[in-house]
Amino acid sequence: MSIGQEAGSWRELGRHTSTAAVLAGGVLVGAITIYVAASLLPTAVQEIGGRRLYAWTMTAFLVAQVVATMLVGRSLSRFGGKFSYLLGFGVFAAGSVLCAASPSMPVLLIGRGTQGLGAGLLTGLGFALIHSALPPRLWSRGSALISAMFGIGNFTGPALGGFSAQFGSWRSAFAILAVAAGVLAIFVPRALPDGERPEQPPVPVRSLALIVGAAGAVSVAGILSDVLATTGFLALGLVLVCAFLVTENRAAASVLPGSVYRKGSRLRWIYLTIMVLASGVAVETFLPLFGQRLGGLPPAAAGFFAAALSLGWSVSQLVSASSRKPRRLVLAGPACLAAGFALLGLSQTEQPPLPVVLAWLPVLFFGGTGIGIAMPHLSVAAMTSAPDGEGGQAAAAIATILTMSTAFGAAIAGLLVNFGGASVVTSARWLLFGFAAISALGVLTARRAI
């Protein structure tokens, strides 16, 4: 199956209800957690301090998530699908409890990192098992369903965090997530058989260390005030990314399929386009902050503004999965996202009038549709563009690409916001225009991908 080939129906996917529910549920609980902290952090910081580490709550989660997605293949080989899911839910719940009990920002960061490990395993398992648990005709529907969980989770997460913060207990949001993980874990033994265990792949230790180091370097650059030091850490991050690509090309154990590095590979452009789209979601981390500081919104309302981008992603993704013109959608996706960020950047002013603030909602929704109309078709293209024998690795790598992109996106977002200094308006403009430029690059990669 490739871009443009007819996909199966939602009714057909309904025949695999239990499998789809477990795969989607695991991704959903992790997706909620990515952005639940965004809405409650302004309130949490007032209680436990740590404003300089604000952006690191996202980075700690996402870097740990990247690590976990790289270990999905080994987990499946050693434990099988059922126990791997139970492990993922257990680690995630433990991290959520730690976040709920955090007395300080450093402890909260440890909890977020633990959550990220569990969420990364659940996300990677969801994408990895699409390839083996569903027939090829349903890969598009399955990918759309699972990818839509990111949008639904990103809508639910800010709302959950905002309401928890506004009505007296930001800690309750993390407690609710721990309970949700426990409930989902109860259904795993009945809904998901052990299945066959694939050959145990070696852990790509060098690749793992390099990409985590690169994300960390960019994150450190985002919290430094010295221009020279910031430039140095940015340069270090770039060097580590280059080293990652060189290591991947030569290593026997790699994160991405070997065909990515072959001349004329279409898969590399598919992954790059996914990276551009996924990195843009990191903007949501700061939208509640801008909504509260510039728009004068209460925490719950500001959380819904952040969720507008994800709502556009979720709705458009489910609709676009059945499109017979996916090539046009893949090309239009990054263009819509770039336009949405640019329009939003132009509307950032001190104390904007209420009509302008309300106009942010449709603009964010429009930008989110750019992600949704392209993502399911890019996921299927990645699975079908890989040579025989690499389809499973190509599918599992989608989760790694998504989490790596969001981790780097969060680090870059923190850096751009800090460029604005004490001015919230300037920070908002740096962030939005910066990601508008990044999204525009996706138009170029999408042309090569299709």
Side-chain angles (χ1 to χ4, degrees):
M1 184 177 177
S2 59
I3 289 181
Q5 187 172 336
E6 185 179 357
S9 67
W10 289 111
R11 180 175 296 180
E12 288 180 77
L13 184 63
R15 299 170 189 167
H16 303 267
T17 301
S18 60
T19 300
V22 170
L23 302 185
V27 173
L28 177 60
V29 74
I32 291 174
T33 312
I34 295 178
Y35 294 104
V36 71
S39 295
L40 55 79
L41 267 181
T43 303
V45 166
Q46 293 178 6
E47 179 181 333
I48 64 176
R51 186 180 183 279
R52 288 289 293 173
L53 298 175
Y54 190 104
W56 276 70
T57 58
M58 176 68 79
T59 302
F61 179 91
L62 292 172
V63 169
Q65 193 176 28
V66 169
V67 173
T69 57
M70 291 184 179
L71 301 177
V72 166
R74 193 171 184 85
S75 179
L76 281 172
S77 177
R78 186 170 184 178
F79 303 119
K82 182 188 298 184
F83 189 80
S84 292
Y85 261 101
L86 292 174
L87 179 64
F89 282 124
V91 172
F92 176 84
S96 299
V97 170
L98 185 57
C99 287
S102 297
S104 63
M105 183 61 79
V107 177
L108 181 63
L109 292 179
I110 295 173
R112 290 287 285 169
T114 306
Q115 279 186 317
L117 290 174
L121 185 56
L122 294 171
T123 302
L125 288 169
F127 281 96
L129 293 182
I130 282 180
H131 186 267
S132 59
L134 296 175
R137 279 177 54 81
L138 295 177
W139 287 353
S140 177
R141 300 290 184 180
S143 296
L145 177 65
I146 288 181
S147 297
M149 294 302 104
F150 286 99
I152 294 172
N154 294 351
F155 178 84
T156 307
L160 173 62
F163 278 114
S164 298
Q166 185 168 340
F167 296 109
S169 178
W170 60 269
R171 300 177 188 274
S172 64
F174 292 114
I176 290 171
L177 289 170
V179 172
V183 171
L184 285 169
I186 294 174
F187 295 97
V188 169
R190 296 176 58 185
L192 194 69
D194 281 322
E196 297 182 0
R197 299 184 182 184
E199 182 181 351
Q200 184 166 321
V203 177
V205 177
R206 292 183 180 178
S207 297
L208 184 62
L210 289 168
I211 204 63
V212 169
V218 177
S219 298
V220 170
I223 64 173
L224 295 175
S225 56
D226 182 79
V227 176
L228 184 60
T230 298
T231 304
F233 273 97
L234 284 175
L236 175 61
L238 181 60
V239 169
L240 290 175
V241 168
C242 294
F244 167 79
L245 296 174
V246 171
T247 300
E248 280 275 287
N249 191 25
R250 297 176 178 177
S254 60
V255 176
L256 304 179
S259 57
V260 169
Y261 304 100
R262 294 173 193 158
K263 185 177 180 180
S265 170
R266 189 164 67 99
L267 191 56
R268 74 179 65 168
W269 300 108
I270 293 171
Y271 282 152
L272 282 171
T273 308
I274 291 175
M275 289 179 70
V276 167
L277 292 171
S279 67
V281 181
V283 169
E284 288 183 330
T285 307
F286 293 94
L287 291 177
L289 180 65
F290 299 151
Q292 292 181 50
R293 299 285 179 83
L294 297 179
L297 301 172
F304 277 111
F305 271 74
L309 188 73
S310 294
L311 182 61
W313 177 5
S314 302
V315 173
S316 63
Q317 192 153 233
L318 294 174
V319 174
S320 70
S322 58
S323 173
R324 296 185 178 182
K325 298 180 179 179
R327 288 180 172 84
R328 294 183 181 179
L329 296 180
V330 168
L331 190 60
C336 290
L337 186 61
F341 286 149
L343 287 173
L344 196 62
L346 291 172
S347 69
Q348 300 304 301
T349 59
E350 292 283 0
Q351 298 181 338
L354 182 60
V356 173
V357 175
L358 293 178
W360 294 352
L361 285 169
V363 171
L364 286 166
F365 185 90
F366 173 76
T369 62
I371 302 174
I373 62 177
M375 194 67 77
H377 305 294
L378 288 167
S379 297
V380 174
M383 288 184 246
T384 56
S385 296
D388 292 340
E390 289 189 350
Q393 186 183 14
I398 296 172
T400 302
I401 291 291
L402 287 171
T403 51
M404 284 171 56
S405 304
T406 314
F408 274 97
I412 293 170
L415 178 66
L416 291 172
V417 166
N418 284 338
F419 280 164
S423 171
V424 179
V425 172
T426 305
S427 294
R429 290 172 178 170
W430 267 104
L431 177 70
L432 295 168
F433 289 137
F435 273 92
I438 293 171
S439 301
L441 293 175
V443 178
L444 303 178
T445 60
R447 287 183 180 274
R448 302 296 298 271
I450 61 177

